[in-house]
Amino acid sequence: MKVKSTQIKEPLLRMVKRDAVSPKKAWEIRAIAFLLSLVTGGLLILVLGHNPLSVYKSMVVGAWGSKTVMYETVKLAVPLLITAIGISFAFKMKFWNIGAEGQILVGAVAAGAFGLFTAHIFPKLPLVILMLLAGMAAGGLYGLLPAVCKAKWGTNETLFTLMLNYIALAFIKYLMNGPWKAPGSSFPKIAMLVPGARLTKVLGVHWGWILALVLVVAAYFYFNKTKQGYEIAVVGESNDTARYAGINVSKVFMRTMFLSGALCGLVGMLQFSGADYTITEGTAGGVGFTAITVAWLAKMNPYGMLIVSIFIAMLERGSNTIQTNFKIPASASDLLIGIILFFMLGCEFFITYRLILRGKEEHHG
Amino acid sequence: MGETRDYAVKMHHVTKTFGKVVANKDVDLELKNGEILALLGENGSGKTTLMNMLSGIYFPDYGDIHIHGIPVTIRSPKDAFDLGIGMIHQHFKLVDVLTAAENIVLGLDGKTTVNRKELNKKVAELASRYGFEIDPSKKVYNMAVSEKQTVEILKVLYRGADILILDEPTAVLTPQETEKLFAVLRNMKADGKSIIIITHKLHEVLSISDRVAILRKGEYIGVVETSETNQDQLTEMMVGRPISLEIERPQLERGEKRLKVVDLTCLNGDGIKALDNVSFSAYSGEILGVAGIAGSGQKELCEVIAGLYPTIGGAVLYTDEREDGPVKESILGLTPDQIVEKGISMAFVPEDRLGMGLVADMDMTDNVMLRSYKNNKGLFVDRKTPKKVAEQLIEEMEIVTPGVDTPVGRMSGGNVQKVLLGREIALSPSVLIVAYPVRGLDINSSYRIYDLLNEQKKKGVAVIFIGEDLDVLMELSDRVMVLCGGRVSGIVDPRKVTKEDIGLMMIQVNEQKEEEDV
């Protein structure tokens, strides 16, 4: 029997962990994944009976083609970005806050409490500041609750934060149908914010975008340069190590979740006073969940989140455009976004591992 | 080389790589029928990887395997079983709530119902044939480590294995238990079984094996007849150059009583006493060794003193007659940062280096500042000072790493330990607790660690050294405290007792032996 005899039954496909991948190689893989996603999406468009190139072009034009659509794209990106930054606070310490939706909603409600009912008392500036603080405080407290329970009784934060989303949603429905129902309206809806209290526009979009950019820098600084950021990183890696280092893990949980919730609450306030001018069940509109994708794709790096949130906002705007221009159903354009995100998330696997076909590996010996 | 039929196992040109790491490079290994072959090598030399390929856990990249002269392909542990190969792993794979006999037949083909009486009889017969002492109807959760190991071995024998591989079987045993195991192995050999025993303890190799195969850094160095070799030759083959195996024990005048531990009692997660009225003192300028079977309360003892584990009774008193005024504190119940606030510098090298002592994903700088980042005033962290310390550590401790920016999780075990111990020593501690500091380290790194501990002792630090290798404990320590089931079964002078004495104390508490507070 010769040496080669045992080679024959090698498994067809093997997974091998790569050594550290150079950034250049990683970007190559991402670029290939993006192209492949366009090709796959193109097949879908072909099946629907359209020219993929013109559909893709119309997506880009629909997002960036004119000032008006650009404003809309930025308006979509702002809440995504701030929410992503907010949840990355929690995610960095491996606290799975999927309650951003709820935190956004309570933020909006708290801002609404001032915006809708005290606009005649306060001048604009103090009113906006009041709304801002109220929104952040409400979101923060709503985020603090699961942290306190986890610190005290070890509750599961994933379930806890998820359930709080539904409570916030139900609360808004109650407000719409009851105490906050707009006077004279036959529909269950909440009144509009008076124009005088709406956020000022800077270069066409409410100033929330400037705040978002400031937060990107601030968050990066917080994570990398401050003691609190360092503590978050240590807690995220191992609670035992954190205790060993003399870090009060419960305190870090609570402090960080308050910040995380406060940023999400800020989004609620911005959406209310800068974009929608009212509060509905759709005020959060899935931003709290999409932001999870943003944070992961950016690997919790705030600058990465800036790019990813603009990219996703573009996809969403673009998908609206192709729905109207090509009569492509909403479900199909959502599928298209799904395909692109699937490839982008999936390629991270190929950055960590490579696959080896049977017999393709060179042998030592 | 003899007839192929004389060999139970022949592995030729076996190569296995993980990414860029070559775990085994062109290794040959031959096991004769009815012999005990010791597979010797330092940690990371590829012993376990090689055996995992024989037992079907890994598939070789290259090379061929012959069992009883027949070329075979082993793709899964089941293939290995079918060929009569059984491996007893370092970490036991037993179901706690089942009995010994149930664990032994678990996963075997058979009828849907089990006749437990008959099964127990069969297991008992098998056990007595080789001289095992076991109660087949005992539940695994009631078993001591050595009993669990017996179950693992019987499991393999019950399945009809005639080639047995034991991965570091003595690491968890007392000297007496080791002797028993060796007696069983000799019985099995007499019965015609072929056995490979993985170990890095030289005296065990010499006492049990017929031949010794040596691996170094994944490469096959050679095989020698046990009767024709000695410790020095084996060390040299294993390490690559001659090395002195003496451990220093500097003779010093013992200093003041630094730590007095009184009647310490704590519970484990199941509400059972993990420490039971533990009392002892640790003195400045001495190394107090702590011996005991794994899980006798060592982990809890360290963590209680370091302020990481809750107790239900006792006291820990700290004294330090410093020039700037004496410090006398009761530190039980304080958290690590409260201990620091009292002005006490307590260094602790925990057993779980990357899970407690260090953060694997962070670089050296961030790990160095883990214990000191709070010293800096204000909101921000200062990375300049820790970076300097890290660079200093690399130089002084001869740490091999691409740089201070490399995550410590990427470094080898020995270097990780040097980072951890180096950081703790940099705190200029007055008490240094080290738990299993040389586990997984090669000989060179181990001796470097012993030197460092001696240096600290000479500086007047009270060193508490939790160890598992009794030889090392007895050579390095000034006194040895033996733990058994969470209780102190004695504190002895290692120069005046034998290894067997300590082994006995590890398995039973002698009630008469009260702590002599010398």
Side-chain angles (χ1 to χ4, degrees), chain A residues 1 3 6-7 14 19 221 224-227 230-231 233 237-238 240-241 243-247 363-364, chain B residues 20 61 63 71-72 308 336-337 348 355-356 359 361-362 366 369-370 373-374 376 378-379 381 383 423-424:
Chain A
M1 275 297 183
V3 172
T6 49
Q7 303 299 309
R14 282 187 295 144
D19 255 22
F221 215 73
N224 294 295
K225 301 286 176 203
T226 67
K227 286 183 187 175
Y230 178 72
E231 284 172 354
E237 286 297 329
S238 157
D240 278 340
T241 309
R243 286 194 313 121
Y244 169 86
I247 295 171
H363 295 300
H364 311 262
Chain B
K20 273 193 187 148
D61 295 345
V72 293
L308 295 165
D337 46 331
F348 174 32
M356 182 178 256
V359 183
D361 277 355
M362 287 184 176
D366 277 25
M369 69 189 199
L370 192 63
Y373 76 97
K374 282 183 181 160
N376 190 29
L379 279 177
V381 286
R383 282 193 170 80
R423 180 191 71 200
E424 292 301 297

Side-chain angles (χ1 to χ4, degrees), chain B residues 101-164:
Chain B
E102 284 164 346
N103 265 290
I104 287 167
V105 293
L106 195 68
L108 288 182
D109 293 336
K111 282 180 284 183
T112 34
T113 54
V114 179
N115 182 343
R116 285 200 167 66
K117 221 169 142 189
E118 199 177 305
L119 174 66
N120 286 349
K121 219 178 111 198
K122 265 165 83 180
V123 170
E125 271 171 23
L126 184 68
S128 66
R129 195 164 128 207
Y130 295 109
F132 287 111
E133 288 165 20
I134 184 108
D135 171 8
S137 57
K138 193 171 183 180
K139 304 263 188 196
V140 168
Y141 61 77
N142 283 327
M143 288 185 181
V145 185
S146 62
E147 290 175 285
K148 289 183 189 170
Q149 186 180 56
T150 303
V151 177
E152 287 281 5
I153 299 173
L154 281 173
K155 195 162 90 182
V156 168
L157 289 172
Y158 191 87
R159 287 163 198 227
D162 58 1
I163 300 167
L164 281 94

Side-chain angles (χ1 to χ4, degrees), chain A residues 267-291:
Chain A
V267 172
M269 174 267 176
L270 291 176
Q271 286 303 90
F272 163 68
S273 56
D276 302 340
Y277 309 128
T278 183
I279 302 165
T280 68
E281 294 156 282
T283 296
V287 164
F289 296 120
T290 312

Side-chain angles (χ1 to χ4, degrees), chain A residues 290-309:
Chain A
T290 312
I292 297 176
T293 314
V294 175
W296 271 115
L297 268 177
K299 301 226 167 87
M300 310 297 154
N301 180 328
Y303 294 111
M305 288 178 225
L306 173 63
I307 296 165
V308 177
S309 58

Side-chain angles (χ1 to χ4, degrees), chain A residues 42-50:
Chain A
L43 291 178
L44 174 79
I45 297 168
L46 272 179
V47 170
L48 293 170
H50 303 283

Side-chain angles (χ1 to χ4, degrees), chain A residues 60-82:
Chain A
V60 176
V61 171
W64 303 112
S66 70
K67 266 193 176 165
T68 334
V69 294
M70 255 174 79
Y71 295 157
E72 288 306 309
T73 310
V74 173
K75 248 164 97 178
L76 277 179
V78 167
L80 261 186
L81 176 56
I82 300 180

